[in-house]
Amino acid sequence: MISRKVLGSLVCLFVVSVFIWITVGNGKVHYLPYYLPCPEIFSMKLQYTEEKLIQLFPQLFYQQPRVLAPKRQDVLTVTPWLAPIIWEGTFNSEILDSAYRPLNLTIGVTAFAVGKYTRFVGRFLESAEEHFMKGYRVNYYIFTDSPETIPNVQLQPGRRYVLVPIKKYSSWQEISMRRMEAINKHIAETSHQEVDYVFCLDIDMVFYNAWGPETLGDIVAAIHPGYFNVPRSHFPYERRSSSAAYIPDGEGDFYYGGAVFGGLVKKVYEFTKTCHMTILADKANGIMAAWQEESHLNRHFLSHKPSKVLSPEYLWDDRKPKPAEIHLIRFSTVDKNYKEIRD
């Protein structure tokens, strides 16, 4: 007799194999070694906190929106699949706060402070306390291999940070590849019961201006600051057809940055699970995508469109001059010596 445990493992392996075959779709992944991991979280059914519906707007007095006089005519403000692209001037913070604050939401933030990246935690948290989701409860989940080096930052009432220990890895590429797995596991084990929305952000960044409820959505992606004004032929997609992150020439909407994504916690759980499985498929075949998990993120968002897109205001780079289209910078990568901190 085949034990229930062995039978379950065989079924799990079969499901993963079929999923990856369907996801890749080009028939290039021909095998999955018998040692392909099949974590229990892939089949878990999570009990999320009760979804909170937006209430009717209270009486507010604000300038009438004009159909023939849009505030922004210099940039694209809606995608071809009708997802809004969030720029300064496209929303009213007062209206949004009046809708979301009564819901008593808790927003989660995941960030990885591994190796020398622990030096960025203090400024990240201090700037977040000044600008990120002001007036809302926030849980910062700091994933780190050096908990003793994380500074103690004073937080506002209703906001807390939690240190999530993770193991050390030999290279920054491996750390990057493991991020989807770690976030998915943490949501499954803990944060799905603690937060309503979660944003997954890079730690080597700083908030410069308000980041509020205009960013909330089912699944949210951010346009990379290096590629918002170039044709898609210049996007650094994974171009090898043997990879699960493959995007053919002539396809693609935007190039999304891996430093910012988020949404409803249950949607982020499903998203990170899918990306982790396609990363496993590549690993089983000896492939590392061009830009690690960012390549898999872009492949996923090609076939599963984000419900909201953040403009480069929410993912800028301190080394770049601010063009006229960027009215203000909200969140930006700090200037640093990549070679020194990754060694």
Side-chain angles (χ1 to χ4, degrees):
M1 292 288 289
I2 299 177
S3 69
R4 181 176 299 178
K5 185 175 182 179
V6 172
L7 182 60
S9 297
L10 291 173
V11 171
C12 186
L13 180 58
F14 174 75
V15 171
V16 171
S17 302
V18 172
F19 173 85
I20 293 172
W21 188 267
I22 293 172
T23 301
V24 175
N26 55 29
K28 295 295 183 180
V29 178
H30 298 296
Y31 70 94
L32 293 173
Y34 68 90
Y35 55 81
L36 176 64
C38 190
E40 293 179 1
I41 56 176
F42 286 170
S43 58
M44 288 180 64
K45 299 295 184 183
L46 305 186
Q47 297 295 319
Y48 299 94
T49 57
E50 183 179 354
E51 188 168 349
K52 299 166 184 176
L53 302 178
I54 296 176
Q55 306 298 311
L56 292 175
F57 296 98
Q59 185 174 7
L60 295 173
F61 296 94
Y62 52 88
Q63 187 176 8
Q64 177 190 353
R66 304 294 297 274
V67 173
L68 301 182
K71 292 289 185 69
R72 296 298 299 265
Q73 301 183 49
D74 56 334
V75 292
L76 185 69
T77 60
V78 64
T79 70
W81 58 94
L82 298 182
I85 304 176
I86 310 304
W87 301 84
E88 174 66 11
T90 62
F91 60 90
N92 184 310
S93 297
E94 184 182 3
I95 294 175
L96 294 173
D97 274 331
S98 72
Y100 282 102
R101 286 201 180 180
L103 302 183
N104 208 22
L105 299 171
T106 300
I107 313 300
V109 172
T110 70
F112 285 69
V114 178
K116 296 178 182 179
Y117 278 81
T118 56
R119 70 181 64 171
F120 300 108
V121 174
R123 193 176 176 197
F124 175 91
L125 289 174
E126 290 167 0
S127 66
E129 283 299 280
E130 184 177 355
H131 298 294
F132 180 79
M133 299 302 296
K134 294 188 70 172
Y136 295 84
R137 292 198 306 265
V138 174
N139 290 354
Y140 301 101
Y141 301 107
I142 308 298
F143 294 71
T144 183
D145 58 357
S146 305
E148 69 283 357
T149 66
I150 303 300
N152 185 23
V153 177
Q154 186 67 38
L155 304 183
Q156 302 169 34
R159 298 159 79 100
R160 67 189 182 103
Y161 72 86
V162 179
L163 298 182
V164 183
I166 57 174
K167 65 179 292 187
K168 294 179 183 290
Y169 292 102
S170 58
S171 69
W172 69 267
Q173 292 96 338
E174 181 71 10
I175 294 168
S176 175
M177 296 291 282
R178 293 278 185 169
R179 190 166 70 132
M180 293 293 185
E181 177 186 19
I183 293 170
N184 186 260
K185 183 178 180 182
H186 189 264
I187 292 175
E189 295 177 347
T190 304
S191 54
H192 76 276
Q193 296 178 320
E194 298 179 343
V195 301
D196 302 288
Y197 293 85
V198 62
F199 285 99
C200 307
L201 310 177
D202 276 6
I203 197 72
D204 55 338
M205 302 187 71
V206 172
F207 294 89
Y208 290 119
N209 283 286
W211 175 312
E214 74 279 359
T215 61
L216 299 178
D218 282 3
I219 192 72
V220 181
I223 297 174
H224 195 291
Y227 302 97
F228 75 98
N229 60 350
V230 300
R232 63 187 174 192
S233 59
H234 293 186
F235 293 169
Y237 290 148
E238 173 55 65
R239 299 300 190 184
R240 292 171 295 174
S241 61
S242 56
S243 171
Y246 170 61
I247 297 179
D249 289 335
E251 295 188 25
D253 302 305
F254 308 104
Y255 189 78
Y256 302 107
V260 174
F261 62 89
L264 284 169
V265 66
K266 63 182 180 182
K267 298 292 187 180
V268 175
Y269 173 75
E270 295 298 330
F271 165 72
T272 53
K273 178 172 70 172
T274 300
C275 284
H276 177 43
M277 292 175 78
T278 57
I279 288 170
L280 286 178
D282 272 5
K283 189 171 184 178
N285 287 281
I287 301 169
M288 179 181 288
W291 289 100
Q292 297 83 49
E293 92 283 5
E294 185 173 86
S295 296
H296 290 272
L297 175 148
N298 273 277
R299 179 62 188 87
H300 180 86
F301 284 144
L302 176 60
S303 54
H304 302 79
K305 309 295 190 189
S307 62
K308 182 172 286 187
V309 175
L310 304 182
S311 72
E313 295 173 5
Y314 296 86
L315 177 51
W316 197 246
D317 187 329
D318 280 358
R319 297 169 298 177
K320 296 175 66 66
K322 184 168 74 70
E325 297 84 10
I326 306 294
H327 289 187
L328 80 169
I329 297 168
R330 302 177 188 276
F331 190 49
S332 182
T333 302
V334 299
D335 192 8
K336 55 193 169 293
N337 183 336
Y338 280 99
K339 186 177 187 306
E340 185 267 330
I341 61 175
R342 287 175 173 175
D343 282 346

